[in-house]
Amino acid sequence: MIPTKEEWHRALADRHGEVFQKRAEHATVAICGLGGLGSNISICLARAGVGKLILIDFDRVDISNLHRQQYKANQLGLPKTEALAANLKEIAPYIELELHTIRITEDNIGELLKDADLICEAFDNPECKAMLVNTVLEKFPEKYLLSGSGMAGMDSVNRIQTRRVTKRFYLCGDGVSDVKECGTLVSSRVMTCAAHEAHMVIRILAGEPEP
């Protein structure tokens, strides 16, 4: 039996504190890319009680995604936005979701991200990462931006860290590993980097902006 919205809030507030929970419930976080980083970030934030997620990805669930992304075998072929939304609703039934099954470009990024308080960059492609980071820093200097760089291979997860680059821009990862050189992505290391991004969002909402 699914608990009521009031019961849901109370259970989270008992764990996190009333002040944080109210901040989380009123926050809007955009997740740009719903692969290994973005799908795991979304799960963490939904479990923390974030009120609204803006989910953006143009891709569909593929069998090659299942070893590190938060999808199921019976969701193969579905748009990642729709598949992840269904999974998130099972976890957090009262979360508000805004879906955009579209590729982010310099032309639409302003409209897609205008309502977000915090933005999580979670792309695989380096050029797309650079475009999003540079555009957000230029167009939305008042918003918090979190980005991932370096989570490939089987090196120690202890090398993955969160750095505060500017007042509102954070970079998570080991900063060096690249899938083209390492040849692999494994769920534990990708999830560690995703957890760094998600936890930094949570710290910001809690009024603790230092990594």
Side-chain angles (χ1 to χ4, degrees), residues 43-105:
I43 295 288
C44 290
L45 297 182
R47 291 193 185 281
V50 169
K52 179 178 178 179
L53 297 180
I54 300 173
L55 305 179
I56 309 169
D57 199 304
F58 66 91
D59 206 2
R60 292 177 178 269
V61 180
D62 183 80
I63 192 171
S64 64
N65 305 146
L66 298 183
H67 74 287
R68 72 189 188 283
Q69 301 180 15
Q70 290 292 337
Y71 302 104
K72 306 169 187 177
N74 64 359
Q75 293 179 317
L76 293 176
L78 293 177
K80 287 185 176 179
T81 48
E82 296 178 15
L84 186 58
N87 296 343
L88 292 171
K89 281 292 188 178
E90 290 181 359
I91 293 168
Y94 301 107
I95 193 170
E96 182 180 352
L97 300 172
E98 180 181 318
L99 311 185
H100 296 281
T101 307
I102 191 172
R103 187 188 297 270
I104 298 180
T105 68

Side-chain angles (χ1 to χ4, degrees), residues 16-180:
H16 303 148
E18 188 70 35
V19 173
F20 169 81
Q21 208 54 53
K22 285 185 176 179
R23 289 177 181 172
E25 288 173 2
H26 288 90
T28 298
V29 182
I31 314 294
C32 304
L34 304 179
L37 274 181
S39 63
N40 281 290
I41 292 168
S42 300
I43 295 288
C44 290
L45 297 182
R47 291 193 185 281
V50 169
K52 179 178 178 179
L53 297 180
I54 300 173
L55 305 179
I56 309 169
D57 199 304
F58 66 91
D59 206 2
R60 292 177 178 269
V61 180
D62 183 80
I63 192 171
S64 64
N65 305 146
L66 298 183
H67 74 287
R68 72 189 188 283
Q69 301 180 15
Q70 290 292 337
Y71 302 104
K72 306 169 187 177
N74 64 359
Q75 293 179 317
L76 293 176
L78 293 177
K80 287 185 176 179
T81 48
E82 296 178 15
L84 186 58
N87 296 343
L88 292 171
K89 281 292 188 178
E90 290 181 359
I91 293 168
Y94 301 107
I95 193 170
E96 182 180 352
L97 300 172
E98 180 181 318
L99 311 185
H100 296 281
T101 307
I102 191 172
R103 187 188 297 270
I104 298 180
T105 68
E106 292 184 28
D107 294 328
N108 63 21
I109 191 171
E111 183 63 25
L112 291 172
L113 301 181
K114 62 182 176 62
D115 293 331
D117 303 307
L118 303 98
I119 298 165
C120 290
E121 178 279 314
F123 292 143
D124 295 327
N125 184 284
E127 289 75 22
C128 293
K129 284 179 178 285
M131 182 277 292
L132 187 140
V133 168
N134 292 333
T135 304
V136 170
L137 291 176
E138 178 183 349
K139 290 189 174 183
F140 300 115
E142 77 285 0
K143 298 182 186 293
Y144 283 97
L145 172 64
L146 300 98
S147 181
S149 178
M151 66 212 75
M154 296 190 182
D155 201 355
S156 172
V157 295
N158 294 329
R159 297 186 184 278
I160 293 176
Q161 299 180 340
T162 300
R163 293 190 298 113
R164 191 177 189 179
V165 182
T166 66
K167 183 178 181 180
R168 295 178 182 268
F169 175 38
Y170 300 80
L171 192 59
C172 305
D174 63 26
V176 293
S177 63
D178 183 89
V179 67
K180 291 181 180 179

